[in-house]
Amino acid sequence: MDRSEVLARVRKRVEGLPGVMAFQYLDAGWRKEIMLLEKEAESNGACGGLMPFTNKGVWSAFEREVQFVIVASSDSILLGDSERLVYIQDQKGNIVGEWVGAKRLEQLKGREDVCFLSSDFVLYPEVEVVGEPFFVLPDIDFPYLDGVEGVKDVASGSISTLSDDHIRERLGFSQTKHWTHLVGFNVKE
């Protein structure tokens, strides 16, 4: 199977997902723009610059040979089964806090060693923090390319607000609450 056929199959599969409003492969120029925006976002830090962060999922996707972005409707739950969409980690790799989905929320309710900052974000005050903690946007499961012939090494990540705004504007969704996502993959030889 040749590369163009693989790319066409990926496009067809992703565009057919419920809630996907737009799909766009990144060319070299747009790839560079988004990478620069992601670097800028990381240099600005999280929480209004109060804490550094790294976007592991985005950088994993950029390590692949092909990348695409999607715009998904604001009520879409394509990534709903993913755990740990964002967390706080210390320099030793200890999880200091995390966003929690409904399933994890039920597991943590009533525990004395958990501090709820909001209804969906917790801190673990008993974790001994080593070094300066930082936010992590991790790799996120994107199972929708499983079984697509010619696709391997799928990686995906939630992009920063800077990139999200840029992508939605470029694809005609700037006045919406829709969200964006970056996916990368390699093509089997």
Coordinates of all heavy atoms in Angstrom, one line a residue, residues 51-52 87-98 113 122-135:
M51 N 3.6 28.3 37.1 CA 4.3 26.9 37.1 C 4.7 26.5 35.7 O 3.9 26.7 34.7 CB 3.3 25.9 37.7 CG 3.8 24.5 37.9 SD 2.7 23.4 38.7 CE 2.7 24.0 40.3
P52 N 5.9 26.0 35.5 CA 6.3 25.5 34.2 C 5.4 24.3 33.8 O 4.8 23.6 34.6 CB 7.7 25.1 34.4 CG 7.9 24.9 35.8 CD 6.9 25.7 36.5
Y87 N -1.5 16.5 34.5 CA -1.1 16.2 35.9 C 0.1 17.1 36.3 O 0.7 17.7 35.4 CB -0.8 14.8 36.1 CG 0.2 14.1 35.3 CD1 1.6 14.2 35.6 CD2 -0.2 13.5 34.1 CE1 2.5 13.6 34.8 CE2 0.8 12.9 33.3 CZ 2.1 12.9 33.6 OH 3.1 12.3 32.8
I88 N 0.3 17.2 37.6 CA 1.5 17.9 38.1 C 2.5 16.8 38.6 O 2.1 15.9 39.3 CB 1.1 18.8 39.3 CG1 0.1 19.8 38.8 CG2 2.4 19.5 39.8 CD1 -0.5 20.7 40.0
Q89 N 3.7 17.0 38.1 CA 4.8 16.0 38.4 C 5.9 16.7 39.1 O 6.2 17.9 38.7 CB 5.2 15.3 37.1 CG 6.3 14.4 37.2 CD 6.6 13.8 35.9 OE1 5.7 13.3 35.2 NE2 7.9 13.7 35.5
D90 N 6.7 16.1 39.9 CA 7.9 16.7 40.5 C 9.1 16.2 39.7 O 9.0 15.4 38.7 CB 8.1 16.4 42.0 CG 8.4 15.0 42.3 OD1 8.6 14.2 41.4 OD2 8.4 14.7 43.5
Q91 N 10.3 16.7 40.0 CA 11.5 16.4 39.3 C 11.9 14.9 39.3 O 12.7 14.4 38.5 CB 12.7 17.2 39.7 CG 12.4 18.7 39.6 CD 12.3 19.1 38.1 OE1 13.0 18.6 37.3 NE2 11.3 20.0 37.8
K92 N 11.3 14.2 40.3 CA 11.6 12.7 40.4 C 10.6 11.9 39.7 O 10.7 10.7 39.7 CB 11.7 12.4 41.9 CG 12.3 11.0 42.2 CD 12.5 10.8 43.7 CE 13.0 9.4 44.0 NZ 13.1 9.2 45.4
G93 N 9.5 12.5 39.2 CA 8.5 11.7 38.5 C 7.3 11.4 39.3 O 6.4 10.7 38.9
N94 N 7.3 11.9 40.6 CA 6.1 11.7 41.4 C 4.9 12.5 41.0 O 5.1 13.7 40.7 CB 6.4 12.0 42.9 CG 7.5 11.2 43.5 OD1 7.5 10.0 43.3 ND2 8.4 11.8 44.2
I95 N 3.7 11.9 41.0 CA 2.5 12.7 40.6 C 2.1 13.4 41.9 O 1.8 12.8 42.9 CB 1.4 11.7 40.1 CG1 1.9 10.9 38.9 CG2 0.1 12.5 39.8 CD1 2.3 11.8 37.7
V96 N 2.0 14.7 41.8 CA 1.7 15.6 42.9 C 0.2 16.0 42.9 O -0.4 16.2 43.9 CB 2.6 16.9 42.9 CG1 2.2 17.9 44.0 CG2 4.1 16.5 42.9
G97 N -0.4 16.0 41.7 CA -1.8 16.4 41.5 C -2.2 16.0 40.1 O -1.3 15.7 39.3
E98 N -3.5 15.9 39.9 CA -4.0 15.5 38.6 C -5.4 15.8 38.4 O -6.2 16.0 39.3 CB -3.8 14.0 38.4 CG -4.6 13.1 39.3 CD -4.4 11.6 39.2 OE1 -4.2 11.2 38.0 OE2 -4.3 10.9 40.2
D113 N -6.0 11.5 52.2 CA -4.8 11.9 51.6 C -4.9 12.6 50.3 O -4.0 12.8 49.5 CB -3.9 10.7 51.4 CG -4.5 9.6 50.5 OD1 -5.7 9.6 50.3 OD2 -3.7 8.8 49.9
V122 N -7.2 17.2 41.7 CA -6.8 16.9 43.1 C -5.3 17.1 43.3 O -4.5 17.0 42.3 CB -7.2 15.5 43.5 CG1 -8.7 15.2 43.4 CG2 -6.4 14.4 42.6
L123 N -4.9 17.4 44.5 CA -3.5 17.4 44.9 C -3.4 16.3 45.9 O -4.3 15.9 46.6 CB -3.2 18.7 45.6 CG -3.1 19.9 44.7 CD1 -2.7 21.2 45.5 CD2 -2.0 19.7 43.6
Y124 N -2.1 15.8 46.0 CA -1.8 14.7 46.9 C -0.8 15.3 47.9 O 0.4 15.3 47.7 CB -1.2 13.5 46.2 CG -2.1 12.9 45.2 CD1 -1.8 13.1 43.8 CD2 -3.3 12.3 45.5 CE1 -2.7 12.5 42.8 CE2 -4.2 11.8 44.6 CZ -3.9 11.9 43.3 OH -4.7 11.4 42.3
P125 N -1.3 15.9 49.0 CA -0.4 16.7 49.9 C 0.6 15.8 50.7 O 1.6 16.3 51.1 CB -1.4 17.3 50.9 CG -2.6 16.6 50.8 CD -2.7 16.0 49.4
E126 N 0.4 14.5 50.7 CA 1.4 13.6 51.4 C 2.6 13.2 50.5 O 3.5 12.6 51.0 CB 0.7 12.4 51.9 CG -0.3 12.7 53.0 CD -1.0 11.6 53.7 OE1 -0.6 10.4 53.4 OE2 -2.0 11.8 54.4
V127 N 2.5 13.6 49.2 CA 3.7 13.3 48.4 C 4.8 14.2 48.7 O 4.6 15.5 48.7 CB 3.3 13.4 46.9 CG1 4.5 13.3 46.0 CG2 2.2 12.3 46.5
E128 N 6.0 13.7 49.0 CA 7.1 14.6 49.2 C 7.7 15.1 47.9 O 8.2 14.3 47.1 CB 8.2 13.8 50.0 CG 9.3 14.7 50.5 CD 10.3 13.9 51.4 OE1 9.8 13.0 52.1 OE2 11.5 14.2 51.3
V129 N 7.5 16.4 47.7 CA 7.9 17.0 46.4 C 9.4 17.1 46.3 O 10.0 17.7 47.2 CB 7.2 18.3 46.2 CG1 7.6 19.0 44.9 CG2 5.7 18.2 46.2
V130 N 10.0 16.6 45.2 CA 11.4 16.7 44.9 C 11.6 17.7 43.8 O 11.1 17.5 42.7 CB 12.0 15.4 44.5 CG1 13.5 15.5 44.2 CG2 11.7 14.3 45.6
G131 N 12.3 18.9 44.1 CA 12.5 19.9 43.0 C 11.2 20.7 42.7 O 10.2 20.6 43.4
E132 N 11.3 21.4 41.6 CA 10.2 22.3 41.2 C 9.2 21.4 40.5 O 9.5 20.8 39.5 CB 10.7 23.4 40.4 CG 9.6 24.4 40.0 CD 10.1 25.5 39.1 OE1 11.2 25.4 38.6 OE2 9.4 26.5 38.9
P133 N 7.9 21.4 41.0 CA 6.9 20.7 40.2 C 6.5 21.4 38.9 O 6.7 22.6 38.8 CB 5.7 20.7 41.2 CG 5.9 21.8 42.1 CD 7.4 22.0 42.2
F134 N 5.9 20.7 38.0 CA 5.5 21.3 36.7 C 4.3 20.5 36.2 O 4.1 19.3 36.5 CB 6.7 21.2 35.7 CG 7.2 19.9 35.4 CD1 6.9 19.2 34.3 CD2 8.2 19.3 36.2 CE1 7.4 17.9 34.0 CE2 8.7 18.1 36.0 CZ 8.3 17.4 34.9
F135 N 3.5 21.2 35.4 CA 2.4 20.6 34.7 C 2.8 19.7 33.5 O 3.8 20.1 32.8 CB 1.4 21.6 34.2 CG 0.4 22.1 35.2 CD1 0.6 23.2 36.0 CD2 -0.8 21.3 35.4 CE1 -0.3 23.6 36.9 CE2 -1.7 21.7 36.4 CZ -1.5 22.9 37.1

